[in-house]
Amino acid sequence: MLKSAIPFVFVLLWSTGFIGAKFGLPYANAATFLFIRMVLNVLVFVVILGVMKPVMPKGKLLFHVLVSGLLIHGFYLGGVFAAIGFGMPAGLSSLLVGFQPILTALIVISLSSERLNPAQWVGLFAGIFGIALVVQGKMSWNIDAQPFYAYMFVFLALLGITLGTLYQKHFCQGVDLVACAMWQYVAAGVFFLPIAWLVEGFEVTWSLTFTLTMIWSVLALSVIAVLLYLYMVGQGAASKVTSVIYLVPPVTAIQGWLFFDEAFSTATIIGFAVCALAVFLVMRAPKLSISR
């Protein structure tokens, strides 16, 4: 029972990342916010590692962990935060990276002998339709938005989370989850540092909102949610794990209503039901695998 609830706890936490970006970006640019977050992540995980004392990845395996961290945390988080920073609505960014299950499934079947069954195809396309229904009322861009750059970065985020998930599943089997997460944050921090320092000027307006947002981002997202995500990747097929992402836009929509007064509509409620059906159809089917 507890194990079956993990994907839904993950969705609840993961969805707050889009709302956190809206709270945090008025006080620091994307790379600066994320560099500070990565540094704090590493410090927290060093403490955890000191208590747990797991076997640390070395050599070629460490290299693979660093690459997965660059993709999952560097490209994905960096792309989402940059897109929202360039004026893209949080709901729209959630919708676009929600195409991850479709892209993941297509990559998986192109690299293996597995094929999607009809129920999975119905589920995948139903998920896209459901996401569109949920967030269709949240498409108003900021007045000073730069759509070209926003779309470019959100596409980078989509590639990052898709390829990072597949890379993690294929090359990082057997790595301790805590050790893996710590080194992934190191890779992402190294990636964000020159951007934050040379491009953004490392400017931060410290406030209570920014501080609380950072604390939540580190503890709830980077510690709890990411460990749940890595656990799911290690336990199940990549195409099924990523299908849970379908539930992120609906939950994000609820949080947008709670924190930013973003109204619900009939289409949103219908979208909830369609997304739930999509997750059921994709996750109940036989798993896909990538041949080595």
Side-chain angles (χ1 to χ4, degrees):
M1 184 69 177
L2 183 60
K3 185 177 180 180
S4 63
I6 287 177
F8 302 99
V9 175
F10 163 78
V11 164
L12 180 61
L13 294 176
W14 194 261
S15 62
T16 65
F18 298 95
I19 302 301
K22 292 193 68 171
F23 275 118
L25 286 176
Y27 305 96
N29 288 320
T32 300
F33 182 98
L34 290 171
F35 172 72
I36 296 172
R37 176 175 163 182
M38 294 305 128
V39 170
L40 294 175
N41 291 344
V42 172
L43 293 176
V44 171
F45 272 79
V46 166
V47 175
I48 297 174
L49 289 170
V51 175
M52 299 181 61
K53 303 187 186 314
V55 177
M56 302 293 287
K58 298 178 181 179
K60 192 173 182 179
L61 192 55
L62 175 58
F63 171 79
H64 290 314
V65 169
L66 294 174
V67 171
S68 66
L70 177 64
L71 292 169
I72 294 174
H73 302 301
F75 285 18
Y76 171 68
L77 282 179
V80 168
F81 270 67
I84 293 175
F86 278 113
M88 178 176 284
L92 180 56
S93 66
S94 178
L95 165 66
L96 295 178
V97 295
F99 278 80
Q100 178 200 353
I102 294 290
L103 185 56
T104 299
L106 293 177
I107 292 175
V108 168
I109 64 176
S110 70
L111 296 177
S112 70
S113 59
E114 303 286 347
R115 292 295 180 266
L116 293 176
N117 63 35
Q120 285 177 305
W121 280 116
V122 171
L124 291 171
F125 285 107
I128 297 298
F129 178 66
I131 290 173
L133 287 175
V134 168
V135 300
Q136 70 165 351
K138 298 169 61 180
M139 298 297 182
S140 57
W141 290 67
N142 293 350
I143 296 177
D144 57 348
Q146 300 181 54
F148 174 80
Y149 293 109
Y151 279 116
M152 180 180 70
F153 278 107
V154 85
F155 179 70
L156 181 66
L158 173 60
L159 287 179
I161 192 63
T162 302
L163 298 179
T165 298
L166 292 171
Y167 195 97
Q168 171 85 21
K169 176 68 178 177
H170 188 56
F171 292 108
C172 303
Q173 291 284 354
V175 181
D176 179 86
L177 293 179
V178 178
C180 178
M182 194 277 288
W183 282 111
Q184 287 180 333
Y185 291 138
V186 170
V190 171
F191 173 73
F192 289 128
L193 176 58
I195 303 174
W197 189 267
L198 299 176
V199 179
E200 298 178 353
F202 210 83
E203 296 182 0
V204 179
T205 302
W206 291 95
S207 67
L208 179 60
T209 299
F210 179 82
T211 302
L212 292 177
T213 300
M214 184 63 68
I215 292 173
W216 177 264
S217 297
V218 171
L219 297 182
L221 291 171
S222 295
V223 177
I224 300 174
V226 167
L227 288 180
L228 290 177
Y229 184 79
L230 294 176
Y231 172 80
M232 290 188 296
V233 170
Q235 294 294 313
S239 59
K240 289 185 180 180
V241 171
T242 55
S243 70
V244 181
I245 301 298
Y246 276 146
L247 290 178
V248 171
V251 178
T252 302
I254 294 175
Q255 295 170 354
W257 170 69
L258 289 173
F259 294 108
F260 300 102
D261 198 25
E262 296 172 341
F264 276 86
S265 66
T266 302
T268 300
I269 298 173
I270 296 173
F272 275 115
V274 173
C275 286
L277 175 63
V279 172
F280 172 75
L281 290 174
V282 174
M283 296 188 70
R284 68 187 290 269
K287 68 180 180 180
L288 301 176
S289 60
I290 303 175
S291 302
R292 289 185 180 271

